[in-house]
Amino acid sequence: MNQTQPRVKTPEEWLATAEGKKRGRFKVFLGYAPGVGKTYSMLSEAVRRKSRGCDVVIGVVETHGRPRTAELAEQLEKVPRKQLEYKGTLFDEMDVDAIVARHPEVVLIDELAHTNIEGSYHAKRYQDVLQVLEAEIDVLTTLNIQHVESITPRVQSLTGITVRETVPDWVLDRADEIVLSDLTPEALANRMSRGDIYPQERAERALQNFFRRGNLIALREMALQRVTRAVDRTLDDYVQRKQLSGNWALAERVAVCISANPESRDLIARGARMAEAMGGEFFVLHVETGEELAEKRRRTLEANIQFAENVGAKVVRLKGRSVPAATAQYVAKNRITQAIFGRSAVKGLKKYLYYRALQQFMTDAPHVDLHIVTQVAK
């Protein structure tokens, strides 16, 4: 029998709930392809926790016929799944209510990107996970990098394979810990050739398609970048809690300060190239000083901001009477590592004021690398 569908919470509602009460810890085992060992690593940790007296259960684990994985799974209690009928066929799905009623300390929930059968309480498994976390139960889960929503288009372009199941980035950002289950592309291809991942006849096709060496190298790089971002975010929290100096950083963060001039588009393009080359995050900053812009300049500013969003920048609109002070405050607080400014004033009083503003910025944000780009008026 189908259950009544609940109103789906927005990301903001989930996050507000998480901040407003105690919740379970959320740990993600992230991989770049099937067969790198995510589920095995998750089960291994669960068995170790059980040996230390922790109450651990399996909510859902897919062994895919792999003997060593199945052997580990047999050592843990399993919460029975529920059956749902869909178009005349019975399907087994994870029973969230049974997990919450059992209330273990830790539950294993494999394949975070899974789409539930129609008639389930939630449409997506990650929503089940969030409900379990709200019940103050720790969750261990697994995910491949191609299922992260913002990365999916890149993966589809790279591999030509359509990724149908995704997890929003904000869900992964909510994780307390992300562990990379890593294996070199060569080792993964060897596992595939031996039939350790898929049956032999399916393995040959996989090696010619998704598991091509170039694909695996690129996917692994994406997974490494995502874990670096998670580590850097954890460091952010630590730095703010301990009130450490602003020169603590792992990942590069490039910020471009723009105005309502057409030349800002070139600055944005340069910043995007720099961020891509460094594998870093990209920010575009605009300071609103309260000055009323003429219609033409306002349209130019909006066009600049649209261009920044098109090239993947996080656009930040700041407010302040002083452009260098407002920019320096944001750069220092968010640990920007590379800042790019344009220079069009080359003589007279404007040149003096420009260099004075730069001096103020460097004083207020001493740990950032500053890049000055000469702009030619268009």
Side-chain angles (χ1 to χ4, degrees):
M1 180 181 297
N2 289 359
Q3 300 184 37
T4 302
Q5 294 294 310
R7 185 181 69 83
V8 177
K9 289 185 179 181
T10 65
E12 292 75 17
E13 287 173 328
W14 281 117
L15 293 171
T17 302
E19 293 167 359
K21 59 180 282 189
K22 184 181 176 184
R23 62 176 177 85
R25 286 186 58 80
F26 184 27
K27 184 169 183 176
V28 178
F29 290 83
L30 182 68
Y32 68 89
V36 295
K38 303 178 301 299
T39 303
Y40 188 86
S41 296
M42 178 179 69
L43 284 164
S44 298
E45 176 166 330
V47 169
R48 288 194 299 272
R49 292 195 189 194
K50 179 185 176 183
S51 71
R52 296 195 295 265
C54 186
D55 182 16
V56 185
V57 303
I58 290 175
V60 59
V61 163
E62 304 295 347
T63 64
H64 299 289
R66 296 163 193 163
R68 294 179 63 199
T69 303
E71 182 181 333
L72 285 177
E74 288 302 317
Q75 300 179 43
L76 298 168
E77 175 188 342
K78 298 176 181 65
V79 175
R81 301 191 198 185
K82 62 182 178 182
Q83 286 194 326
L84 291 174
E85 183 179 344
Y86 179 65
K87 294 185 177 180
T89 304
L90 288 176
F91 293 88
D92 288 335
E93 285 286 12
M94 184 176 71
D95 193 334
V96 180
D97 291 336
I99 292 170
V100 172
R102 169 64 175 75
H103 210 278
E105 293 177 71
V106 183
V107 62
L108 278 61
I109 300 177
D110 209 2
E111 299 185 355
L112 185 64
H114 173 76
T115 299
N116 294 330
I117 292 298
E118 187 175 317
S120 300
Y121 191 69
H122 293 122
K124 300 288 292 185
R125 184 167 288 168
Y126 74 78
Q127 295 170 314
D128 295 336
V129 166
L130 294 169
Q131 182 181 338
V132 172
L133 291 169
E134 282 187 344
E136 300 180 19
I137 300 170
D138 293 352
V139 173
L140 306 183
T141 191
T142 64
L143 180 70
N144 275 330
I145 192 65
Q146 66 263 30
H147 297 292
V148 178
E149 195 167 51
S150 66
I151 293 174
T152 295
R154 292 170 59 195
V155 173
Q156 292 183 164
S157 175
L158 174 74
T159 65
I161 294 173
T162 301
V163 180
R164 292 184 172 83
E165 296 183 312
T166 61
V167 173
D169 290 56
W170 65 265
V171 175
L172 200 57
D173 288 340
R174 191 182 180 283
D176 297 287
E177 188 176 356
I178 298 178
V179 177
L180 181 65
S181 297
D182 195 23
L183 199 64
T184 66
E186 291 77 12
L188 183 60
N190 287 337
R191 289 198 67 202
M192 180 67 75
S193 298
R194 292 196 304 266
D196 293 344
I197 302 172
Y198 297 147
Q200 202 67 49
E201 64 279 2
R202 189 178 167 196
E204 292 300 325
R205 290 197 305 272
L207 287 169
Q208 298 301 317
N209 294 288
F210 186 84
F211 282 78
R212 292 197 302 270
R213 187 170 184 273
N215 287 355
L216 297 180
I217 291 171
L219 290 165
R220 188 186 189 208
E221 178 67 19
M222 293 178 201
L224 289 166
Q225 288 176 0
R226 188 70 196 208
V227 172
T228 299
R229 170 177 159 180
V231 171
D232 202 48
R233 190 177 68 250
T234 302
L235 182 59
D236 272 339
D237 295 339
Y238 179 79
V239 167
Q240 291 179 16
R241 275 201 322 274
K242 299 295 183 180
Q243 298 183 331
L244 300 175
S245 62
N247 59 339
W248 284 64
L250 293 180
E252 293 285 353
R253 291 178 173 175
V254 179
V256 173
C257 188
I258 67 167
S259 67
N261 294 327
E263 295 80 16
S264 289
R265 187 183 178 100
D266 293 337
L267 290 182
I268 295 167
R270 181 180 291 237
R273 291 194 300 271
M274 181 183 291
E276 183 177 6
M278 293 178 167
E281 296 179 72
F282 182 37
F283 300 78
V284 167
L285 315 179
H286 173 67
V287 180
E288 298 173 355
T289 60
E291 175 189 355
E292 191 70 28
L293 294 177
E295 179 62 22
K296 182 178 179 181
R297 286 175 57 80
R298 187 189 64 76
R299 288 199 305 268
T300 301
L301 175 61
E302 292 305 318
N304 290 340
I305 289 173
Q306 182 62 60
F307 177 67
E309 291 174 344
N310 290 346
V311 297
K314 177 181 179 180
V315 176
V316 181
R317 296 176 186 255
L318 304 171
K319 293 184 183 295
R321 297 180 62 184
S322 167
V323 172
T327 305
Q329 182 181 22
Y330 182 87
V331 162
K333 182 178 179 180
N334 293 276
R335 296 190 303 106
I336 301 297
T337 59
Q338 312 284 333
I340 302 176
F341 287 86
R343 180 172 71 93
S344 55
V346 293
K347 57 185 176 181
L349 180 60
K350 287 185 177 181
K351 178 180 178 180
Y352 168 75
L353 294 174
Y354 175 80
Y355 283 116
R356 185 176 175 183
L358 282 183
Q359 186 61 50
Q360 179 184 343
F361 174 85
M362 289 187 289
T363 300
D364 294 342
H367 301 293
V368 67
D369 291 342
L370 183 60
H371 304 261
I372 308 299
V373 179
T374 300
Q375 297 172 285
V376 179
K378 296 182 178 180

